[in-house]
């Protein structure tokens, strides 16, 4: 995107830079005179306007002297974060630029392209500004990250390929000359009929060799002169993201990872070594271990594999193969807050305010009140096999099972609204807004819309995963997926998804977590990688 420089006024000082030449009050008054009604609703009803936009006079200057359509067009070339956070601080008129839904939709279309559909789910009440902001940040960070990861190798490969190409071309030229002579000398009856004498052939070869030597010397000299004339290039800016690996704290595979505490400041990890650990990502260059969770006298957090994590506010819940859900208080340095016996291995968790949902190996979805001494509220039998993934809000519970079904339960009505059968079973699920994204055991992604309790399958996508999709995170403008095929992929959540970057690992990836632009990845080689904005 080309850089656009706009002369904005400083609201506090009431002055503009040397190109503006007017005060904020004057700009506001001239904007009222130069504005005109917009049939698409670009100008709010309370914004003063006239039926005809007069031509700017000699006294009128500044950005707001332009027709409103031109102002919005100029703003469309500014970064989304500037439109959202900076323009409202300039003046009331420019704050209205960020309220134009059509302008945000056009921006999203420009970012995605005309061939992809966006959003995948319902357009009503869709958060267009947030989606555009996230997409621009995603494209900037992860596209550059991919280029830097492969840039040096590609450059070297390209240089070698160019040299090899010249050699091959020279060989083909020499071979072609000899081959052409032989063909010309062969008659229709198969007898050799030379049309070029031996002396002539020797002379032609000598001339060709001299010409090739002269041309090669000229090219080398020209390249040397070009390199000497070139000015030194400034170093490229550092990548927007940095990757750190948490110190080795577990002695077995990390099955689950969760960013908690807001702003990606703390990371919780659950492992097959039966432990849950808390890491401070802001202390130290590679993070610092804060606590290994457990009660007094406990030699480990659980009595079996820790399989899943979930949090809401200061509450952290961990579920394991010891058939328990254990509750921890993040505000009290991870102190033990409670113990819930689930009756079977806990495979997935979902936290809402004062309510905890657990999907278990014995085909049930259990609802718990984390404030009560007897926490079990209800146990639901929604499937015919183990419950592998959960997503919920205040009204509905959506669950996926190994029996290849997806169920929707209405929490207020207390009944199952819908049960959908698929050809594969889901292992991971992300629910936000009116869209649900899920990954299955074949490496495919599924999208659903969720409106007024109606779950509607939308599309199925192949984004390149070849094994279980073990983790998925979707927001209005971002989509992250992980798989046991040893990859993590970053996409724009369009239909089809636009993949920006693929991260490769040495072992299968067991899960991921995303918060405030920070990505945490748990892999089978006892490692947790953190991708975060560079400070």
């Amino acid at each position: 995107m080309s850089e656009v420089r706009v002369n904005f006024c400083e609201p506090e000082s009431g002055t503009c830079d040397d190109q503006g030449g007017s005060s904020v009050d004057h700009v506001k008054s001239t904007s009222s005179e130069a504005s005109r009604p917009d049939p698409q609703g670009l100008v709010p009803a309370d914004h003063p306007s006239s039926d005809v936009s007069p031509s700017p006079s000699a006294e009128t200057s500044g950005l707001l002297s332009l027709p409103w359509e031109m102002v919005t067009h100029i703003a469309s070339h500014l970064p989304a974060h500037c439109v959202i956070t900076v323009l409202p601080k300039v003046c009331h008129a420019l704050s209205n630029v960020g309220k134009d839904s059509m302008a945000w939709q056009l921006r999203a279309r420009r970012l995605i392209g005309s061939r992809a559909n966006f959003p995948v789910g319902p357009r009503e009440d869709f958060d267009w500004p947030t989606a555009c902001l996230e997409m621009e940040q995603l494209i900037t960070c992860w596209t550059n990250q991919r280029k830097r990861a492969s840039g040096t190798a590609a450059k070297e490969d390209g240089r070698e390929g160019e040299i090899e190409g010249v050699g091959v071309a020279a060989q083909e030229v020499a071979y072609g000359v000899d081959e052409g002579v032989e063909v010309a000398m062969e008659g229709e009856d198969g007898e050799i009929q030379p049309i070029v004498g031996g002396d002539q052939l020797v002379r032609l070869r000598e001339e060709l060799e001299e010409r090739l030597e002269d041309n090669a010397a000229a090219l080398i000299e020209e390249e040397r002169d070009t390199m000497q004339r070139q000015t030194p290039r400034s170093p490229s800016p550092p990548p927007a993201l940095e990757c750190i690996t948490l110190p080795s704290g577990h002695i077995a595979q990390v099955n689950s990872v969760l960013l908690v505490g807001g702003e990606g400041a703390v990371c919780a990890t659950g492992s097959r070594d039966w432990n849950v650990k808390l890491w401070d990502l802001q202390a130290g260059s590679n993070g610092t271990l804060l606590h290994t969770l457990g009660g007094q006298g406990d030699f480990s957090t659980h009595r079996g594999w820790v399989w899943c994590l979930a949090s809401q506010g200061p509450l952290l819940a961990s579920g394991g193969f010891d058939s328990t859900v254990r509750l921890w208080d993040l505000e009290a340095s991870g102190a033990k807050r409670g113990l819930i016996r689930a009756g079977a291995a806990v495979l997935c968790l979902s936290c809402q305010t004062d309510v905890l949902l657990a999907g278990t190996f014995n085909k049930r979805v259990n609802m718990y009140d984390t404030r009560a001494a007897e926490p079990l509220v209800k146990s639901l039998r929604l499937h015919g096999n183990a419950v592998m993934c959960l997503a919920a809000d205040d009204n509905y519970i959506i669950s996926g099972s190994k029996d290849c079904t997806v169920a929707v339960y209405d929490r207020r009505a207390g009944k199952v609204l819908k049960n959908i059968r698929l050809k594969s079973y889901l292992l991971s699920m992300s629910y936000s807004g009116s869209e649900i994204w899920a990954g299955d055991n074949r490496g495919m992604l599924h999208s659903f819309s969720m409106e007024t309790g109606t779950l509607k399958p939308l599309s199925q996508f192949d984004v390149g995963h070849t094994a279980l999709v073990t983790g998925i995170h979707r927001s209005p403008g971002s989509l992250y997926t992980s798989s046991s095929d040893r990859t993590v992929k970053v996409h724009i959540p369009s239909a089809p998804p636009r993949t920006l970057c693929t991260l490769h690992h040495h072992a299968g990836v067991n899960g991921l977590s995303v918060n405030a632009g920070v990505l945490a990845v748990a892999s089978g080689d006892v490692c947790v990688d953190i991708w975060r904005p560079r400070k």
Side-chain angles (χ1 to χ4, degrees), residues 142-397:
W142 289 104
T143 302
N144 292 343
Q145 194 67 46
R146 178 188 62 185
K147 289 180 180 178
R148 287 182 171 88
S150 59
T152 303
K155 187 175 181 180
E156 293 177 355
D157 293 343
R159 186 180 303 165
E160 292 177 358
E162 184 179 356
I163 295 174
E164 291 175 359
V166 172
V168 171
Q171 293 175 5
E172 290 178 351
V173 169
Y175 176 77
V177 170
D178 291 343
E179 186 74 8
V181 170
E182 293 180 2
V183 171
M185 292 173 62
E186 185 176 355
E188 295 180 356
D189 55 358
E191 297 181 358
I192 301 301
Q193 300 178 1
I195 60 175
V196 179
D199 295 340
Q200 291 178 325
L201 182 60
V202 172
R203 188 164 56 253
L204 286 174
R205 285 180 174 176
E206 291 177 352
E207 292 178 358
L208 178 60
E209 290 175 358
E210 291 177 359
R211 187 179 304 172
L212 288 175
E213 291 178 358
D214 294 340
N215 290 341
L219 287 173
I220 293 173
E221 188 65 26
E222 181 179 355
E223 180 69 17
R224 184 180 301 166
D225 294 341
T226 302
M227 293 179 64
Q228 291 177 353
R229 288 195 303 267
Q230 286 180 345
T231 57
R233 294 183 179 180
S234 59
S236 59
L241 299 174
E242 63 177 356
C243 180
I244 64 171
T245 300
L246 296 182
S248 179
H250 292 285
I251 59 175
Q253 288 191 32
V254 179
N255 276 347
S256 57
V257 62
L258 183 65
L259 294 168
V260 296
E263 300 301 322
V266 178
C267 181
T269 57
S271 170
R272 296 188 184 187
D273 64 7
W274 301 8
N275 283 318
V276 176
K277 296 180 181 290
L278 295 180
W279 305 83
D280 185 353
L281 302 183
Q282 296 181 337
S285 58
N286 290 328
T288 302
L289 178 63
L290 292 175
H291 308 285
T292 298
L293 301 184
Q296 186 175 4
D298 293 340
F299 64 89
S300 62
T301 309
H302 281 258
R303 300 295 183 269
W305 289 358
V306 180
W307 199 255
C308 50
L309 298 168
S311 70
Q312 177 69 31
L315 174 68
L316 173 66
S318 59
F321 270 51
D322 59 354
S323 304
T324 66
V325 178
R326 298 174 187 261
L327 308 179
W328 314 95
D329 190 344
L330 296 175
E331 292 183 344
S333 302
K336 190 173 182 179
R337 181 168 162 178
L339 172 65
I340 298 174
R341 302 191 182 278
V346 181
L347 305 181
C348 51
L349 292 169
S350 177
C351 272
Q352 281 73 47
T353 304
D354 299 326
V355 175
L356 175 67
L357 303 171
T360 63
F361 184 76
N362 63 347
K363 315 170 188 178
R364 294 187 175 276
V365 175
N366 297 330
M367 300 176 62
Y368 301 102
D369 186 343
T370 56
R371 302 165 297 178
E374 296 294 332
L376 181 62
V377 176
K378 189 176 295 186
S379 183
L380 307 173
R381 176 74 177 268
L382 305 178
H383 301 280
N385 207 327
V387 180
M388 305 299 294
C389 55
L390 273 175
D393 59 14
D394 293 338
N395 299 320
Y396 307 106
I397 301 172

Side-chain angles (χ1 to χ4, degrees), residues 286-511:
N286 290 328
T288 302
L289 178 63
L290 292 175
H291 308 285
T292 298
L293 301 184
Q296 186 175 4
D298 293 340
F299 64 89
S300 62
T301 309
H302 281 258
R303 300 295 183 269
W305 289 358
V306 180
W307 199 255
C308 50
L309 298 168
S311 70
Q312 177 69 31
L315 174 68
L316 173 66
S318 59
F321 270 51
D322 59 354
S323 304
T324 66
V325 178
R326 298 174 187 261
L327 308 179
W328 314 95
D329 190 344
L330 296 175
E331 292 183 344
S333 302
K336 190 173 182 179
R337 181 168 162 178
L339 172 65
I340 298 174
R341 302 191 182 278
V346 181
L347 305 181
C348 51
L349 292 169
S350 177
C351 272
Q352 281 73 47
T353 304
D354 299 326
V355 175
L356 175 67
L357 303 171
T360 63
F361 184 76
N362 63 347
K363 315 170 188 178
R364 294 187 175 276
V365 175
N366 297 330
M367 300 176 62
Y368 301 102
D369 186 343
T370 56
R371 302 165 297 178
E374 296 294 332
L376 181 62
V377 176
K378 189 176 295 186
S379 183
L380 307 173
R381 176 74 177 268
L382 305 178
H383 301 280
N385 207 327
V387 180
M388 305 299 294
C389 55
L390 273 175
D393 59 14
D394 293 338
N395 299 320
Y396 307 106
I397 301 172
I398 303 100
S399 57
S401 169
K402 203 171 182 180
D403 64 1
C404 300
T405 63
V406 181
V408 180
Y409 180 82
D410 190 327
R411 295 173 61 177
R412 296 183 178 180
K415 64 179 181 180
V416 178
L417 297 180
K418 195 161 188 177
N419 199 301
I420 299 176
R421 179 164 294 277
L422 305 175
K423 294 182 179 180
S424 56
Y425 65 88
L426 305 180
L427 289 101
S428 53
M429 185 179 295
S430 180
Y431 177 26
S432 61
S434 298
E435 288 185 28
I436 300 172
W437 287 73
D440 69 14
N441 61 312
R442 300 185 303 170
M444 303 294 290
L445 302 186
H446 301 257
S447 63
F448 306 85
S449 68
M450 185 70 183
E451 289 185 292
T452 63
T454 302
L455 182 68
K456 179 182 178 181
L458 296 177
S459 301
Q460 181 175 311
F461 305 107
D462 183 357
V463 295
H465 287 306
T466 58
L468 313 176
V469 179
T470 55
I472 188 167
H473 171 87
R474 179 262 172 191
S475 65
S478 67
L479 177 65
Y480 299 79
T481 58
S482 64
S483 172
S484 58
D485 66 2
R486 305 181 181 184
T487 64
V488 174
K489 293 179 179 288
V490 184
H491 325 263
I492 290 178
S494 56
R498 175 186 167 190
T499 303
L500 301 176
C501 183
T502 299
L503 305 175
H504 297 273
H505 291 258
H506 296 294
V509 180
N510 296 328

